[in-house]
Amino acid sequence: MPLAPDPSPSSSPAGPPPADRRTRERRGIGYGLAAYGMWGAVPLFWPLVARAGSLEILAHRIVWSFLISVVLVVVSVRQGFWTRMARRRTLLLLGSAAAIVSVNWGVYIWSVNHGHVVETALGYYINPILSILLGVVVLHERLSPMQWVSVGLAAVAVAVLTVDYGTLPWIALVLAVSFTAYGFIKNRLGAGAVDSLAVESALLTPFALVYLGWLELTGRASFGHEGWGLSLLLVSTGLITLVPLLFFASAATRLPLSTLGLLQYLAPTLQFVLGISYFGESMSPGRWVGFGLVWLALVIMTTDGLLRARRNRAGVRGADVEPAAV
């Protein structure tokens, strides 16, 4: 199962042979492309269920994600899973994560179905920069000069887009802030992607079921009333959520973080291209300038991160060679 991490390359003194390592990384890249490719193409799905309404779609996504993730957890359950998840601190953090991700999902579904695909892409472009800022504010991390340049360019981009839109690009900011906070909580927990999603969706499912029950009682429900095609599509929202997560989990155990970090830009890039080419959203000169500043910030931030990672690896190799020579 892709949920169970593969043995680490450093689990033995010599590590895996180079050929095995290359095969492992090639598979990891394939899994990563599948995960981020699906996340990038998901705007094509939500209009198919748009007539159900954003809140009903969100409720079904929560319920079906819960049911499918529970099956996966039962099949691949690891020793101590229930003990870890039942701790008070873990449940509180997962409850917070559940509330945050429900906002992220709801805003995203509404935005796609109301002609704001390009702005959703902007949110996920901004997300890595906000993650760096969160590290400074919460963890008191120190930024390199180039990282500060990236943060500054992102701030200028938001100002430019605010002038162009005539208001704050709130969709992009809500998606970026919510996903950054969600990622931070999951990082603090260190729980598996599907394991934690099962608990998060379990905490949200009672609210989703109450809402779906109210829709049924008031005659406003779409599920089961507007054809089996729509009902099947609503059921498949669970698969839309979990299948990319499974590919991502498989990629994360096979790839270095630098490679995984580069792949993450595939999803918003696909969303941006779809927004312009398929959904026909307009891009004024001001919006091109704003996006250009964000892209420049990401190039600077990514290049700086790759260079520092290379220097760190070189330092580690040097530290290993010196004792051996002695």
Side-chain angles (χ1 to χ4, degrees):
M1 288 292 294
L3 299 183
D6 290 342
S8 169
S10 59
S11 58
S12 63
D20 292 346
R21 193 160 54 244
R22 286 194 295 270
T23 300
R24 181 185 177 85
E25 290 193 0
R26 279 199 298 270
R27 288 178 180 173
I29 289 174
Y31 289 133
L33 290 174
Y36 287 109
M38 288 180 182
W39 280 324
V42 79
L44 296 172
F45 175 80
W46 301 121
L48 300 178
V49 291
R51 65 182 184 273
S54 299
L55 285 178
E56 186 175 358
I57 297 169
L58 174 62
H60 278 287
R61 184 177 189 181
I62 290 168
V63 171
W64 296 112
S65 295
F66 167 64
L67 293 176
I68 297 172
S69 61
V70 165
V71 172
L72 292 174
V73 168
V74 169
V75 170
S76 63
V77 67
R78 294 186 289 277
Q79 187 176 5
F81 166 76
W82 300 113
T83 304
R84 290 195 308 274
M85 293 300 176
R87 293 170 183 165
R88 182 180 177 184
R89 174 181 178 274
T90 301
L91 288 175
L92 286 174
L93 287 174
L94 286 174
S96 301
I100 291 169
V101 81
S102 66
V103 171
N104 183 277
W105 286 357
V107 170
Y108 186 84
I109 293 167
W110 182 90
S111 302
V112 169
N113 288 339
H114 287 78
H116 299 284
V117 176
V118 169
E119 196 173 344
T120 66
L122 176 64
Y124 290 110
Y125 277 131
I126 294 175
N127 173 56
I129 299 172
L130 283 187
S131 295
I132 288 178
L133 267 181
L134 188 65
V136 174
V137 174
V138 177
L139 303 178
H140 307 293
E141 296 175 352
R142 296 181 64 182
L143 298 189
S144 68
M146 289 298 97
Q147 287 176 322
W148 278 118
V149 170
S150 297
V151 171
L153 286 171
V156 173
V158 171
V160 169
L161 291 168
T162 298
V163 172
D164 185 80
Y165 280 109
T167 181
L168 273 173
W170 67 270
I171 292 172
L173 293 176
V174 168
L175 291 176
V177 170
S178 60
F179 201 71
T180 299
Y182 179 71
F184 177 77
I185 293 173
K186 297 295 280 288
N187 180 265
R188 296 292 93 187
L189 279 172
V194 176
D195 296 358
S196 56
L197 181 64
V199 179
E200 291 163 20
S201 54
L203 295 171
L204 293 171
T205 293
F207 300 99
L209 288 175
V210 167
Y211 179 71
L212 292 174
W214 177 79
L215 289 178
E216 188 67 35
L217 289 173
T218 57
R220 303 179 186 182
S222 299
F223 186 81
H225 298 281
E226 295 195 22
W228 62 267
L230 178 62
S231 297
L232 286 178
L233 286 171
L234 288 172
V235 171
S236 68
T237 55
L239 294 174
I240 292 293
T241 302
L242 280 158
V243 171
L245 272 180
L246 294 174
F247 281 119
F248 175 78
S250 297
T253 61
R254 290 170 171 83
L255 293 175
L257 286 177
S258 56
T259 304
L260 203 61
L262 290 174
L263 287 175
Q264 74 174 322
Y265 299 127
L266 174 62
T269 299
L270 286 175
Q271 292 170 14
F272 179 79
V273 171
L274 282 174
I276 294 176
S277 61
Y278 181 81
F279 291 99
E281 296 182 22
S282 62
M283 283 290 289
S284 65
R287 293 179 192 179
W288 280 113
V289 171
F291 269 86
L293 289 170
V294 171
W295 292 331
L296 178 59
L298 291 174
V299 168
I300 292 172
M301 183 187 71
T302 304
T303 303
D304 179 67
L306 291 174
L307 290 175
R308 286 189 291 114
R310 182 178 298 177
R311 287 196 296 269
N312 290 339
R313 286 196 298 270
V316 169
R317 284 197 297 269
D320 290 341
V321 169
E322 185 177 347
V326 172

